[in-house]
Amino acid sequence: MPEGPELHLASLYVNRMCEGVVFAGPVMKSDVSKSPDVAFACHAYRINATSRGKEVKLTLTPIKSDAKEAQQPVDIVFRFGMSGFFRFTAVDELPKHAHLRFYSKEEPGRVLSYVDARRFGSWQPNGKWQPDRGPCIMFEYRSFREKVVSHLSDRVFDRPICEVLLNQKYFNGIGNYLRAEILHRLNIPPFVPARTVLEGLQSEDACEDKKDVKKEILSKKGAKKGKMEEEKADLLRLCHTVPLEVVNLGGKGYDPQKADYSDFEGWLQCYYVEGMKSVRDHNGRTMWFQGDPGPMAPKDSKSPKAKKRKDTDADHDYTRKKKVSRKQNSDSTVKKKAGKKPRKAAKEEENVPQEEARPRRRSVKSSEANTPQREPTSTSGRRKKKNTEPAAGFKKRSGRLTRQNVK
C-alpha cells in the first residue's frame, strides 16, 4: 500500500513529467469508477501536484486568456488506497485501469492517468486535505510532534504502539512497512502500550537542526550506551527521518514506468525480510518484527503466509477470470446432475444423529477396542448392524452392571 513517501514521490513524478506541458479539454473518467466526475473543461491548463501525508493534490490552473470571466483553478485530492499511482504516456499507450485521465494539447497527444487496479483509491474534486488527518510526518515535523505529545492522555494511546502508528489522526503518512521499520530500528516490541513508549518526549526535538541525526540513530558500533538509549527513546524522530530515507531513494522507490523496486527491497531491514516474525494485529494488519512481540499481542494469532505475486496481466484481466469461473460453474452443475443420488445418500448418512451412531462404535468387543475395524461394504449389512448391535450393546452393559451390583 502506498504510504507517505510514495505519495510524495508521486507528486514529484507528476511535476517532473508535466513540466511545460499544456493540457486541454475535459477531464475523462472511466465508466467503471465509482468516484465522482470532475466537472472541469478548459482550452488550456497546467497541472501541478503537492502531497501531505497519505494524500496528493492535483491543481488544474487555466492559462490566462482574453475571456471576460477567468476560470478559477480546481484542486483534486487523491487517496491512493492499495494500488493507486500516476502514469504519463502516449494516448495510444493508455494503461489498463486508467480511471481518471488528463489529455495534453500537443500532437501527438499524451495523457496523465490515475491508475488503480483494485479501485480502493478515490479522488475528490474541489477537495481539501482531510481535516481528521494530522500534520505530515515528513514536511510538518514540528506540528506533527507537538500534536502527538500534547494528546498522550487520549485513550487511543492505551492501544499497542504498532496499531497507534497507523492512526492517521496523529501519524499521517505512516503505513504498514514504515511502522515495522521504525520499531525494528528502535528495538521496540510492537505490542506494548503506546503511551509507555511516547511519554517523556518533548514537543520540541533538540536534535532537529543537527545534520548527523540520522547517522547517530542508525549507528550500531562505537556509540555510547547512554546516547543510544536516548536515541531509541525518541520514536517521533524516526517517524520523520525513516520516511525521508525512502524519499531519498528517488524514482527507484517509486517508478511506475520501470517498476524497479530492487533498491527499496535492499533498504528494508524488517518488513518481509527473511528471518523476521509476523503476526496479525487486532485490526487484521500484518505486523513484522523481531524478538518478543510484547504483552498486548493478540492471543492465538497465527502468522500469515506470504503470498507470491502473480502475473500482473493475469491479475488485471477480470474478464478472463469471469469466463473461467462461469465455465467451472457450468461443469460443476453438470456433475451435480449426474451424481445427484449418491450425494443425497451421503447427506442422509451425515444427518444421522450422533446418539444413533454411538452404539455402533460401542458394540465392538473390549478386546478389539484398539484395533481398526473395517466397515461392511453392503448396505444390507449396514442396516442389520444398525438395527441389531445397539440392543446387544446395551444388554452387555446392563449385564455387567448387574454382576457388579450382585457382588
Side-chain angles (χ1 to χ4, degrees):
M1 179 177 181
E3 305 182 14
E6 286 73 35
L7 273 291
H8 179 65
L9 290 170
S11 67
L12 296 180
Y13 172 82
V14 171
N15 292 336
R16 183 174 69 254
M17 303 303 294
C18 298
E19 184 178 3
V21 179
V22 178
F23 295 84
V27 179
M28 305 298 294
K29 190 193 82 166
S30 66
D31 296 332
V32 296
S33 175
K34 295 182 180 180
S35 294
D37 295 328
V38 179
F40 179 86
C42 184
H43 71 283
Y45 66 94
R46 299 188 185 276
I47 296 179
N48 183 66
T50 55
S51 69
R52 182 177 185 267
K54 284 194 176 184
E55 296 178 298
V56 172
K57 181 192 293 181
L58 293 190
T59 302
L60 314 183
T61 306
I63 298 175
K64 293 181 179 180
S65 62
D66 297 334
K68 294 182 180 179
E69 295 182 0
Q71 195 171 357
Q72 297 297 320
V74 173
D75 292 331
I76 308 174
V77 178
F78 290 81
R79 299 167 192 98
F80 281 10
M82 293 290 291
S83 58
F85 62 91
F86 290 111
R87 180 171 290 180
F88 192 60
T89 62
V91 175
D92 57 356
E93 297 176 355
L94 190 69
K96 217 171 190 179
H97 309 293
H99 297 300
L100 199 65
R101 304 181 291 274
F102 308 85
Y103 290 89
S104 68
K105 195 176 183 179
E106 60 194 357
E107 290 293 340
R110 291 182 292 176
V111 57
L112 175 68
S113 305
Y114 169 70
V115 185
D116 188 2
R118 299 188 181 183
R119 281 185 279 166
F120 288 165
S122 64
W123 62 79
Q124 187 63 45
N126 300 313
K128 297 181 180 179
W129 305 124
Q130 281 186 327
D132 294 338
R133 292 180 179 268
C136 179
I137 54 172
M138 294 182 292
F139 305 109
E140 297 172 331
Y141 176 50
R142 292 185 179 180
S143 301
F144 149 70
R145 188 181 181 93
E146 183 178 356
K147 181 171 184 177
V148 173
V149 172
S150 60
H151 288 80
L152 288 179
S153 59
D154 291 359
R155 292 181 60 184
V156 66
F157 293 98
D158 295 336
R159 299 181 64 84
I161 183 61
C162 66
E163 297 176 9
V164 175
L165 285 175
L166 297 184
N167 190 325
Q168 301 301 296
K169 181 179 179 181
Y170 298 102
F171 297 89
N172 186 13
I174 297 291
N176 214 20
Y177 83 81
L178 281 177
R179 68 169 178 174
E181 294 299 315
I182 292 168
L183 294 176
H184 174 70
R185 297 188 185 196
L186 299 179
N187 198 24
I188 296 176
F191 293 97
V192 295
R195 188 177 292 105
T196 60
V197 178
L198 298 170
E199 62 184 357
L201 298 180
Q202 302 298 322
S203 58
E204 294 184 2
D205 188 353
C207 301
E208 182 180 357
D209 297 330
K210 291 184 179 181
K211 295 182 180 180
D212 57 345
V213 172
K214 189 167 24 177
K215 292 182 180 179
E216 290 180 0
I217 296 173
L218 298 178
S219 63
K220 296 181 179 180
K221 297 180 180 180
K224 294 182 179 180
K225 185 177 180 181
K227 189 173 184 180
M228 287 298 295
E229 289 178 354
E230 181 182 356
E231 297 291 350
K232 286 183 178 182
D234 201 339
L235 180 140
L236 297 179
R237 185 182 303 141
L238 262 70
C239 289
H240 169 65
T241 58
V242 172
L244 290 178
E245 292 181 19
V246 182
V247 173
N248 290 334
L249 293 175
K252 296 178 181 179
Y254 178 87
D255 192 348
Q257 289 184 329
K258 297 180 180 179
D260 181 12
Y261 303 107
S262 57
D263 285 7
F264 174 73
E265 291 175 352
W267 172 84
L268 292 171
Q269 299 180 18
C270 178
Y271 185 75
Y272 264 93
V273 174
E274 186 178 357
M276 297 296 167
K277 302 177 183 177
S278 64
V279 66
R280 295 191 187 277
D281 62 17
H282 296 90
N283 299 319
R285 302 291 301 275
T286 304
M287 179 65 211
W288 292 82
F289 63 97
Q290 184 179 30
D292 183 22
M296 300 181 73
K299 295 181 179 179
D300 301 330
S301 181
K302 296 181 179 179
S303 175
K305 295 181 180 179
K307 297 181 180 179
K308 293 184 179 179
R309 186 172 179 81
K310 298 180 181 179
D311 185 16
T312 307
D313 295 335
D315 286 343
H316 295 172
D317 195 354
Y318 299 110
T319 307
R320 187 172 67 181
K321 285 186 177 181
K322 288 180 181 178
K323 288 180 180 178
V324 172
S325 63
R326 288 173 183 172
K327 186 177 180 181
Q328 290 176 350
N329 291 335
S330 62
D331 294 340
S332 61
T333 52
V334 173
K335 291 180 180 178
K336 284 182 180 179
K337 291 180 180 179
K340 189 174 181 181
K341 292 182 178 180
R343 290 189 179 183
K344 188 175 180 181
K347 286 184 179 179
E348 291 178 357
E349 291 181 2
E350 291 176 358
N351 294 330
V352 176
Q354 293 181 359
E355 293 181 358
E356 296 180 8
R358 283 176 183 172
R360 280 188 283 180
R361 296 191 186 110
R362 291 176 179 174
S363 61
V364 182
K365 295 180 181 181
S366 59
S367 61
E368 300 175 356
N370 296 328
T371 58
Q373 299 292 324
R374 292 184 181 178
E375 296 181 359
T377 55
S378 63
T379 54
S380 59
R382 289 181 184 177
R383 289 173 185 172
K384 290 179 180 180
K385 189 175 182 179
K386 182 177 179 182
N387 295 331
T388 59
E389 288 187 4
F394 286 123
K395 285 180 180 179
K396 288 181 180 180
R397 265 194 240 160
S398 61
R400 289 174 185 171
L401 292 173
T402 52
R403 289 193 194 103
Q404 290 176 0
N405 294 332
V406 171
K407 289 179 180 179

